[in-house]
Amino acid sequence: MTTATDAVQPGETPVLEAVGVTKRYGDLTVVDDVSLRVRAGETISLLGPSGAGKSSFLRCLNLLEPFDEGHVFLDGELLGYRPHRGRLRELSDRQLNRQRRHIGMVFQQFNLFAHKTVLENLVEAPIGVLGVDAEVARKEARDLLDQVGLADKEHVYPAQLSGGQQQRVAIARALAMHPKVMLFDEPTSALDPELVSEVLDVMKSLAASGMTMVVVTHEIGFAREVCDRFVFMERGAVVEVGAGASLAVDQVTHERTRAFLSRVL
């Protein structure tokens, strides 16, 4: 069995790295000493049963979820802290948000601004956070809407869109910040089955374009076809790591992974 760090070659700085991340709620450990190194352009799926700690770990990767032990690095830079007189000092919210803007996040729910049009949803952060010129931001937003197949929807409001369309807008909104890595937390779980494929197709296109992605998903077919590696978790810990193409009952090595796949395939 491989380990979560095997994919990055010696001397290569991973785009995203978690080292010994542990998250507890009282006596309950929901993420248990998890390490992960993600190289540029790699797509990794986090798999496992409900309650395995996948979403909690994903939220730890951009410090949306504070954790008790371990560190996370983006391009070799420690997130959330800076050295000060031989110790680590916690960053202010403003400083942390400056780091976090390089990590795009797509949630189960779409979290779009209901009172803003699709185009307005996409340009708000680039203009307000990055200081992008408004006309430049609108042009980039239109290009992104074309990329996700929604070029004709820039003037409509989220309530006028299907769930699949709203999720594609959410993906475009995250991409508008030019992230170094994209995190997806079960992006199709809130969708009707017939809408799932339109979101997965956008994600496949992103992976093919070289976007670095970490995806919590129950879509095993997507993980097998698109992901370079899978990380199977249970009870907050990593049980098995392997090539995405090996996601089959007769190819994985751990009995818990086999049992999980036998139920979902």
Side-chain angles (χ1 to χ4, degrees):
M1 187 175 85
T2 59
T3 67
T5 59
D6 285 342
V8 178
Q9 301 302 315
E12 179 184 357
T13 299
V15 173
L16 186 66
E17 180 176 16
V19 180
V21 170
T22 298
K23 169 69 180 178
R24 303 184 186 93
Y25 292 107
D27 294 332
L28 177 64
T29 300
V30 294
V31 180
D32 189 4
D33 191 26
V34 175
S35 295
L36 180 67
R37 305 178 78 198
V38 186
R39 69 156 71 98
E42 189 174 26
T43 298
I44 294 177
S45 59
L46 302 181
L47 308 176
S50 298
K54 308 179 299 296
S55 292
S56 293
F57 175 61
L58 192 80
R59 293 171 65 88
C60 288
L61 289 176
N62 63 357
L63 276 66
L64 282 179
E65 189 77 50
F67 45 89
D68 300 283
E69 298 173 17
H71 298 292
V72 176
F73 300 85
L74 182 69
D75 272 345
E77 179 183 359
L78 179 63
L79 294 185
Y81 299 88
R82 63 179 175 86
H84 181 74
R85 297 179 180 177
R87 304 180 64 183
L88 292 178
R89 172 175 290 182
E90 192 169 353
L91 296 182
S92 67
D93 288 343
R94 183 174 182 178
Q95 292 169 319
L96 175 58
N97 286 334
R98 190 176 299 120
Q99 291 183 323
R100 190 184 281 142
R101 74 189 189 194
H102 298 296
I103 305 176
M105 184 83 179
V106 178
F107 301 89
Q108 297 178 30
Q109 302 299 325
F110 321 122
N111 296 329
L112 300 174
F113 296 115
H115 63 291
K116 294 182 180 293
T117 66
V118 164
L119 188 69
E120 289 168 342
N121 266 276
L122 265 65
V123 302
E124 170 138 333
I127 294 173
V129 177
L130 301 183
V132 176
D133 175 78
E135 190 54 43
V136 172
R138 284 192 286 270
K139 181 184 184 306
E140 291 185 349
R142 291 186 177 106
D143 289 343
L144 286 169
L145 288 175
D146 184 56
Q147 183 179 335
V148 300
L150 295 172
D152 60 337
K153 302 296 184 182
E154 65 172 88
H155 297 303
V156 307
Y157 289 86
Q160 299 171 279
L161 300 174
S162 69
Q165 290 172 328
Q166 290 187 60
Q167 191 63 292
R168 284 187 279 159
V169 172
I171 293 171
R173 182 178 62 177
L175 292 172
M177 294 294 285
H178 301 286
K180 296 179 179 179
V181 59
M182 288 280 287
L183 308 180
F184 293 84
D185 187 7
E186 298 193 37
T188 61
S189 65
L191 301 179
D192 293 332
E194 65 269 21
L195 301 178
V196 168
S197 62
E198 64 186 56
V199 173
L200 293 182
D201 285 345
V202 170
M203 295 172 64
K204 291 175 185 177
S205 177
L206 284 178
S209 74
M211 174 60 70
T212 307
M213 298 161 54
V214 182
V215 185
V216 174
T217 183
H218 290 289
E219 300 290 339
I220 304 301
F222 168 84
R224 182 192 295 122
E225 177 185 351
V226 178
C227 294
D228 300 283
R229 287 185 293 152
F230 73 88
V231 177
F232 182 79
M233 296 180 63
E234 186 176 56
R235 297 181 182 178
V238 174
V239 172
E240 181 173 355
V241 180
S246 70
L247 271 169
V249 175
D250 61 347
Q251 294 186 48
V252 296
T253 61
H254 198 283
E255 62 180 67
R256 288 299 302 120
T257 315
R258 288 196 298 270
F260 174 79
L261 291 177
S262 68
R263 291 196 304 269
V264 299
L265 289 178

